[in-house]
Amino acid sequence: LDALALKNGPAHVEIIMTPSGPCLVEVNCRAQGGDGNWRPLARRLAGGYSQVEATVDAYLDKKAFQLLPKMPPSPAKAF
């Protein structure tokens, strides 16, 4: 990513919590989901934006990207 000068972008990560702690299952540099049906839920869980909007802003609207929170809110607060 450094060679391509990519600093921001979506990631899909799966972690399973086991009795002995977290276990990394999968990491991919892509947005979650496939058909876009997840975007309304993602917006609610992330505080009003999805990986797609954040990625577009990272490259096309730097000011909007800088306004995004560094850490999304707790999913429990989304509902």
Side-chain angles (χ1 to χ4, degrees):
L1 294 176
D2 287 343
L4 298 173
L6 295 175
K7 301 295 181 196
N8 299 294
H12 172 82
V13 180
E14 293 181 19
I15 299 171
I16 294 175
M17 294 305 292
T18 70
S20 60
C23 177
L24 182 62
V25 175
E26 176 184 359
V27 176
N28 286 294
C29 52
R30 63 174 176 83
Q32 76 273 19
D35 57 10
N37 288 333
W38 51 269
R39 287 178 63 209
L41 175 60
R43 281 191 196 103
R44 287 180 67 187
L45 293 174
Y49 64 94
S50 74
Q51 287 182 325
V52 174
E53 286 91 8
T55 301
V56 170
D57 286 346
Y59 292 96
L60 301 180
D61 190 346
K62 304 272 189 209
K63 288 181 182 179
F65 182 72
Q66 293 301 319
L67 294 174
L68 294 175
K70 299 297 179 201
M71 179 73 69
S74 167
K77 295 179 182 177
F79 299 97

